[in-house]
Amino acid sequence: MLLQSGASAGGLAPQLRIAKPYRPQALADAVHRLLQAGQPTPARPLPSAGRLRAGALELDFELRAVRQHGGPATWADLAPTELRLLHHLMLQPDRTHSRADLVGAVWGAGADVDARTVDQYVRRLREALAAVGADAALKTVRGVGYRIDLRAADIDA
């Protein structure tokens, strides 16, 4: 007997062979594994406290907010997805992250998230950064993805 899932990453369907005669529990286990194969891997959890700095950007996990270090003491609140997105970008500043990389890091590997969804969250993140005068730090690399630019205007490396 051959069980096959209709969709998976890369267009290759996971397969599982079960020899006849099969036990009902073996069949149930095989179906469970096939169903799990299509589930996204959860994104890495965020720290619950502490701060992360990249250049003059400072991300506070307890406040769930961002500010420009050395600038006005105003913080811009971030939604959970915006927080995960900025956290991932700040972990490797000056590296261009593709939309696919961002989907895996923010929503989890295998998540069914459209590239335009990533663009919408980047737009929201850019608005939050503009509120603290640091929107120039988030750069779009046409046809590739996004990056935090430490050398951008108003951001000190």
Side-chain angles (χ1 to χ4, degrees):
M1 168 183 264
L2 175 66
L3 294 176
Q4 194 168 326
S5 171
S8 71
L12 299 174
Q15 297 181 1
L16 182 64
R17 296 183 190 277
I18 300 178
K20 287 185 179 180
Y22 57 87
R23 297 184 332 265
Q25 185 60 45
L27 178 62
D29 292 343
V31 169
H32 179 73
R33 284 192 302 273
L34 282 174
L35 291 173
Q36 292 300 316
Q39 297 296 321
T41 304
R44 177 180 352 142
L46 288 172
S48 58
R51 292 184 178 175
L52 175 65
R53 246 179 100 186
L57 283 180
E58 186 172 8
L59 184 61
D60 189 303
F61 296 105
E62 194 170 346
L63 293 175
R64 303 182 79 76
V66 64
R67 75 175 181 149
Q68 185 173 349
H69 187 76
T74 57
W75 291 87
D77 294 330
L78 298 173
T81 303
E82 296 162 10
L83 183 70
R84 286 193 305 273
L85 178 61
L86 183 58
H87 175 247
H88 182 72
L89 290 168
M90 286 176 67
L91 284 176
Q92 295 177 323
D94 288 328
R95 175 183 174 256
T96 301
H97 302 266
S98 71
R99 287 176 179 86
D101 290 342
L102 294 174
V103 167
V106 175
W107 287 272
D112 187 22
V113 175
D114 186 67
R116 297 297 152 220
T117 302
V118 174
D119 296 341
Q120 287 301 312
Y121 278 98
V122 167
R123 181 186 58 79
R124 292 177 191 163
L125 180 56
R126 207 172 252 134
E127 290 171 0
L129 292 172
V132 295
D135 56 319
L138 183 55
K139 297 291 186 186
T140 301
V141 180
R142 286 188 152 253
V144 180
Y146 301 96
R147 68 184 166 94
I148 294 293
D149 185 2
L150 297 179
R151 293 172 302 279
D154 299 328
I155 301 295
D156 300 321

